[in-house]
Amino acid sequence: MTMTAELTAQVCVVGGGPAGLTLAVELAKRSVSVVVLEQSGHFNRSFRGESVSPDSVWMLDRLGLLDRLEGTYVQMHHMEIVDGGSVVLRADLSEFPYPHPYPVELPQPALLSALADAGREHPGFTLVQSATAVGLLREQGEDGPVTGVRARTPDGEITVRAAVTVAADGRFSKVRELSGLSYEKLPLDRDVIWLRLPFPEQWDGHTYRIRIRGGEHGLFIPTHPDSVRVGLNIPKGGLKALRAQGLGALHERLDRLAPELSDAVRDTVRAWSDTSMLDIFTTLVPRWSTPGLILMGDAAHTLTPILGQGVNHAIIDAVTLAPLVEKALATGGGPERLQRAGEAFQEAREESVRRSRALQLRQERLFALEGRLGGVFRRSLYRVMDRNRSVQQRVLSRAYFQVQQPGPTVARRMVQEPVRRA
C-alpha cells in the first residue's frame, strides 16, 4: 500500500496476532472499516503459541477458515502424562461428545496468513505491517478519550484516527502501558526453556505428552510437519544458574524426562541460542476498557502455556467483541455506547478467563510438587482421573469445551504421521 500520513477508520486494532486479525476480519465482514497495525513486517517467524483448542477449531470452521488451513496443521487425538516413568493418565479426545473434539497444532504463520487473506476480501480492511504503536491520540488532554494511535513505520510516523482503538498487542502490551489502565503481573514459580527437535520415530504424531520426574517436568508437542516442541520447566529466574552449569545440564535434564530425544537434543541444541526462554506469568487487569479503548487477548488477560489457552481465548475474545462493537457503531457509535460495548465484552468473557486461569494454576502446582509424598499424591490424583472417565472429561472440558455445545462429532479424524527426516 502507499503510505499516507494519516488513516481514518471506525476501528483501529493494534496487534496483528490471532486476536487482532480475527477481530479485524469479523468487523470487516460486518462492513466496519478497520485498520490493523502490526509491528512485524511478515508472518514467517517462529511462535511458541501454536496450540489451538477444540473450541477455537470449531470457531475457525464456523468462520470459514478451517478449509483454507487444511494441510497446515496436525490434529491431537490423545493426551498422555508419564510420572516417574509410568503412564498415570491417558485421555482419548475422541470420547468427548462435541462436534470438534480435537485440538490442533497449527503454525501461526499459516493461521495469520489465512486471516489476512480473508480480511483483504473486504474493502474496509487495511493491514499495515512494520508499524509500531508509539502513542495514543486523545481528546481534551492526557486524560481524555482515546481517539486513535500514533505509529512508527520505516517510512515515517503515521496516525490512525478511529472511534475505538483495540489493544491486541500481547502479553507485554505497549498500548496497555500507554493507556494508564492498572494491572497486576503475577509471576509463577517457574520459567520455561523452549526448543524444537526432530520428531522421534518411537512416538505417534497425534499425542500431547507431559513427562514428570520429581520436581522437573516437560511438555512435548508434535509440530507440523516434522518436529516436536519441547518446554522444560526451570525455577523462576533460573536461566543464569542453568547456563552456568553448561549446555550438558540441559541435555541431561531432557535425558531424565524423555530419553527418546537424547540423541536429537545433542545433535540439534549445540548452543544456548538454539533455545528460547519464556517468562511465565499471568496478568490481572481489573478494567479492560477506558473511553475510546478496549483491551483483548493477552493484553487483557495473560495466561500460561498449560493446555494452550492463549490462542483459544484470543479467538473467542474476537468473536465476542466484534458484534458488540458493530452494534455500538450502528447505533451512533458515540463514546458512551462504545464504552458500554467494552464493559459488556469484559462481563461476557471474564468468568471464562478466570476458570481457565484457575485450572492452569492448579496444574502448575501439581506439576511442581516435589518429594516422595508430593509425587505419590500427584500420581494418585492422575490415576483416579485415568480410571474415571466422567471425572476426566469434566476436568478437561473446563479447558477445552467452554463454547461448543455437546453434539455429534463432525470433525474428520485426520491421521498424519510426521515427516521423518533422513
Side-chain angles (χ1 to χ4, degrees), residues 321-337:
L321 181 57
L324 295 171
V325 171
E326 177 198 23
K327 182 178 179 181
L329 292 169
T331 54
E336 291 184 1
R337 291 186 183 277

Side-chain angles (χ1 to χ4, degrees), residues 259-297:
E260 304 96 323
L261 296 170
S262 291
D263 291 338
V265 72
R266 285 166 173 79
D267 291 340
T268 305
V269 181
R270 300 185 178 184
W272 288 104
S273 58
D274 296 322
T275 71
S276 62
M277 198 276 289
L278 180 64
D279 178 16
I280 302 296
F281 62 86
T282 186
T283 304
L284 301 178
V285 185
R287 289 178 53 226
W288 297 2
S289 61
T290 192
L293 176 69
I294 300 171
L295 310 183
M296 68 176 295

Side-chain angles (χ1 to χ4, degrees), residues 360-416:
Q360 287 186 325
L361 293 177
R362 286 196 298 272
Q363 289 302 312
E364 295 279 0
R365 287 192 288 268
L366 272 177
F367 290 164
L369 287 175
E370 297 188 62
R372 188 179 67 84
L373 291 179
V376 168
F377 173 76
R378 180 179 57 227
R379 288 189 289 274
S380 298
L381 189 62
Y382 283 134
R383 285 180 174 130
V384 168
M385 285 182 60
D386 189 56
R387 291 191 295 267
N388 191 319
R389 289 292 188 265
S390 63
V391 171
Q392 183 184 113
Q393 292 193 9
R394 190 160 61 246
V395 170
L396 288 178
S397 291
R398 291 170 185 166
Y400 279 157
F401 304 102
Q402 297 185 19
V403 177
Q404 292 184 77
Q405 296 300 312
T409 298
V410 300
R412 178 167 55 90
R413 184 181 174 97
M414 301 168 65
V415 178
Q416 178 185 337

Side-chain angles (χ1 to χ4, degrees), residues 7 61 70 78 84 123 127 176 182 194 197 200 216 227 233 235 245 267 285 299 325-326 331 340 354 385 406 421:
L7 300 173
D61 192 18
E70 188 162 340
H78 299 95
L127 171 62
R176 185 180 61 204
S182 64
W194 284 100
L197 301 174
E216 297 179 346
S227 302
N233 74 301
Q245 298 174 48
D267 291 340
V285 185
V325 171
E326 177 198 23
T331 54
R340 286 199 292 272
R354 186 200 64 78
M385 285 182 60
R421 301 185 186 186

